[in-house]
């Protein structure tokens, strides 16, 4: 991290942020970026696996856009067909 581009330090100085506080901001920002990227991806995959275990017929699907021209398709990471059908049936009764 010591070799990172530190050109933003000038902005910290203009805002009255000390050098030590600026370094802490950089450290926490890098930690947050790491957690968001890797922990978020991990949790997303774990959730998909849980759905697949409980509902083996579930999975990713591309759904046509019936409301406009763009995008033509929407991606749904995990669709549980049976549950969707149950909800539609309940609404119509």
């Amino acid at each position: 991290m010591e070799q990172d581009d530190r050109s933003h330090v000038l902005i910290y100085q203009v805002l009255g942020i000390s050098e030590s506080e600026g370094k802490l901001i950089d450290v926490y920002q890098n930690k947050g970026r790491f957690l968001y990227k890797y922990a978020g991806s991990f949790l997303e995959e774990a959730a998909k696996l849980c759905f697949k275990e409980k509902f083996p017929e579930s999975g990713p699907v591309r759904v046509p856009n019936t409301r406009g021209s763009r995008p033509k398709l929407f991606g749904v990471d995990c669709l549980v067909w049976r549950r969707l059908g149950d909800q539609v049936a309940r609404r119509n009764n």
Side-chain angles (χ1 to χ4, degrees), residues 22-80:
K23 285 184 179 181
L24 285 175
I25 290 170
D26 292 346
V27 167
Y28 290 129
Q29 194 273 337
N30 283 338
K31 286 181 181 180
R33 185 184 318 127
F34 175 84
L35 288 173
Y36 180 77
K37 181 177 180 180
Y38 295 106
S41 296
F42 171 78
L43 290 174
E44 182 179 344
E45 290 302 316
K48 288 179 190 177
L49 289 172
C50 290
F51 275 107
K52 197 68 175 168
E53 177 70 25
K54 179 70 176 169
F55 306 102
E57 75 283 357
S58 68
V61 67
R62 305 285 286 169
V63 180
N65 180 0
T66 60
R67 301 275 176 151
S69 59
R70 290 189 180 186
K72 291 187 179 194
L73 297 172
F74 290 102
V76 177
D77 289 337
C78 186
L79 185 62
V80 180

